[in-house]
């Protein structure tokens, strides 16, 4: 019996155990080792990148240089000039001045553009560099629709041109033949500014009539000599604006600022009827009435 009792005491409970420790195998050791190496490598890589970044910034701050991505820039060797109007290189020489030896990249093209656009005849200027040594200038010009005669500071007569937008400027490059085709503007008060004259906004409406007459009724338009207007800037207040034209074929023609095409058709019909009746010149013609027109006869053949 005693021997049995000793055998029962030798159970698993009597075996010494290390509680709390995980079993360590060869595979676990390898994983632990490689994991430590990987973490160390990441830390070293981050430190290396940081060191290179700091060193690179320091180097470029102390050893800066200019990188030209546009190609070699030489002294300006020529100007390629183009316009949609009558301006030429003689005008260009009077407007801009480029110092000898100026390189293409050394020229401020934005300043040059602004300088060109101070001329009243220039509506828009485009300035570009064409490497290695060419400067390209393209001009869009205002187109004159009227002319006006003024007295300058010396008391002499001076001719100014007016564009369809009401811009006022001294014309350059226009032939006398062309200038003679433009009607004069009457009853306009010019406002002097530092750059020249303040634009006349009412001309925008007048130009619509002139352009229709010039393009579709050239035989009538060629006889128009003087144009005036009244109340065109008050049309939004329901005050009727009118445009008056003095012609070599009639003393005065009055238009409203409505359907110019319809009024020009009426005018054509009146001249045609007068011709059939042997009337050489008409007096006043009022087309401003929407439903009818009134006229006065000046003389007969």
């Amino acid at each position: 019996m005693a021997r049995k009792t000793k055998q029962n005491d030798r159970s698993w409970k009597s075996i010494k155990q290390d509680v709390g420790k995980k079993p360590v195998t060869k595979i676990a050791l390898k994983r632990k080792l490689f994991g430590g190496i990987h973490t160390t490598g990441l830390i070293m890589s981050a430190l290396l990148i940081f060191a290179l970044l700091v060193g690179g910034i320091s180097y470029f701050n102390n050893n800066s240089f200019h990188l030209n991505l546009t190609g070699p820039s030489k002294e300006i060797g020529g100007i390629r000039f183009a316009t949609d109007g009558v301006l030429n290189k003689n005008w260009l020489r009077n407007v801009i001045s480029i110092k000898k030896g100026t390189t293409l990249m050394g020229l401020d093209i934005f300043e040059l553009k602004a300088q060109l656009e101070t001329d009243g005849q220039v509506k828009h200027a485009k300035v570009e560099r064409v490497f290695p040594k060419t400067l390209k200038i393209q001009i869009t010009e205002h187109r004159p629709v009227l002319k006006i005669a003024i007295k300058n500071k010396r008391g002499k007569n001076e001719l100014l041109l007016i564009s369809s937008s009401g811009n006022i400027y001294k014309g350059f490059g226009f032939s006398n033949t062309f200038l003679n085709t433009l009607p004069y503007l009457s009853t306009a008060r010019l406002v002097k500014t530092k750059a020249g004259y303040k634009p006349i906004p009412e001309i925008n409406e007048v130009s619509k009539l002139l352009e229709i007459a010039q393009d579709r009724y050239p035989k009538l338009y060629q006889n128009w000599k003087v144009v005036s207007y009244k109340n065109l800037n008050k049309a939004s207040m329901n005050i009727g604006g009118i445009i008056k034209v003095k012609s070599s074929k009639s003393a005065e023609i009055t238009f409203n600022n409505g359907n110019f095409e319809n009024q020009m058709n009426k005018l054509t019909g009146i001249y045609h009827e007068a011709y059939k009746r042997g009337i050489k010149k008409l007096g006043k013609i009022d087309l401003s009435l929407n439903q009818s027109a009134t006229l006065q006869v000046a003389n007969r053949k």
Side-chain angles (χ1 to χ4, degrees):
M1 290 293 291
R3 192 175 283 181
K4 282 183 180 180
T5 301
K6 285 184 179 180
Q7 288 177 353
N8 291 336
D9 290 340
R10 293 178 62 189
S11 66
W12 62 271
K13 294 180 181 179
S14 62
I15 299 174
K16 186 178 180 181
Q17 300 181 45
D18 294 328
V19 181
K21 292 186 178 180
K22 294 182 180 180
V24 180
T25 63
K26 290 183 178 181
I27 295 174
L29 284 171
K30 287 182 179 179
R31 287 178 178 174
K32 189 174 181 180
L33 179 62
F34 283 112
I37 294 173
H38 179 68
T39 302
T40 304
L42 289 175
I43 294 172
M44 293 299 293
S45 297
L47 290 173
L48 180 61
I49 292 172
F50 178 75
L52 289 174
L53 183 62
V54 172
I57 293 172
S58 176
Y59 174 81
F60 283 111
N61 284 338
N62 296 322
N63 299 275
S64 61
F65 64 94
H66 176 68
L67 181 61
N68 184 4
L69 300 176
T70 57
S73 176
K74 297 182 179 180
E75 179 182 345
I76 296 174
I79 298 176
R80 191 185 303 169
F81 178 78
T83 180
D84 65 346
V86 297
L87 296 176
N88 54 35
K89 287 192 174 182
N90 289 329
W91 166 85
L92 188 65
R93 292 188 191 98
N94 293 329
V95 174
I96 65 172
S97 177
I98 300 175
K99 293 181 180 180
K100 187 177 180 181
T102 302
T103 64
L104 205 56
M105 286 302 296
L107 181 68
D108 188 337
I109 61 174
F110 300 103
E111 182 181 345
L112 182 59
K113 169 183 164 66
Q115 185 179 354
L116 290 166
E117 291 178 347
T118 58
D119 189 286
Q121 193 163 328
V122 177
K123 185 176 182 180
H124 175 72
K126 185 178 181 181
V127 183
E128 296 178 293
R129 299 183 182 97
V130 181
F131 290 95
K133 58 179 182 177
T134 303
L135 185 67
K136 183 179 179 181
I137 298 176
Q138 290 179 287
I139 300 293
T140 302
E141 297 183 34
H142 285 291
R143 295 184 63 183
V145 294
L146 290 165
K147 60 189 176 185
I148 187 169
I150 65 167
K151 292 279 187 182
N152 60 23
K153 293 180 179 180
R154 298 178 181 177
K156 294 184 178 180
N157 291 328
E158 185 176 0
L159 189 69
L160 300 177
L161 303 183
I162 308 173
S163 72
S164 58
S165 60
N167 196 58
I168 304 169
Y169 56 95
K170 295 180 181 180
F172 182 94
F174 295 101
S175 66
N176 290 330
T177 301
F178 171 77
L179 293 176
N180 289 335
T181 65
L182 296 177
Y184 280 96
L185 177 66
S186 178
T187 67
R189 294 181 179 179
L190 302 186
V191 179
K192 189 75 174 175
T193 65
K194 290 182 179 180
Y197 295 92
K198 186 177 179 180
I200 307 172
E202 293 89 348
I203 299 301
N204 184 51
E205 195 67 22
V206 175
S207 69
K208 295 176 184 178
L209 171 62
L210 297 177
E211 287 171 5
I212 289 174
Q214 187 176 24
D215 293 342
R216 304 178 193 177
Y217 306 90
K219 290 184 178 180
L220 296 182
Y221 172 79
Q222 68 184 3
N223 297 309
W224 289 10
K225 304 303 180 184
V226 181
V227 176
S228 62
Y229 62 85
K230 186 178 180 181
N231 295 333
L232 290 183
N233 58 342
K234 298 180 181 179
S236 60
M237 301 167 61
N238 293 323
I239 299 176
I242 60 171
I243 300 170
K244 292 186 177 184
V245 176
K246 291 183 179 180
S247 167
S248 59
K249 292 292 183 181
S250 55
E252 186 179 83
I253 310 165
T254 302
F255 299 85
N256 64 43
N257 62 327
N259 190 330
F260 293 131
E261 183 69 48
N262 186 43
Q263 293 175 80
M264 288 301 299
N265 281 332
K266 287 182 182 180
L267 183 61
T268 302
I270 290 171
Y271 279 131
H272 183 68
E273 189 65 27
Y275 179 78
K276 288 197 304 182
R277 297 187 182 189
I279 301 173
K280 185 177 181 181
K281 185 174 180 179
L282 295 174
K284 293 183 179 181
I285 303 173
D286 190 348
L287 302 168
S288 63
L289 304 175
N290 291 326
Q291 299 299 326
S292 60
T294 61
L295 63 99
Q296 297 175 357
V297 177
N299 57 21
R300 292 176 177 270
K301 280 185 178 179

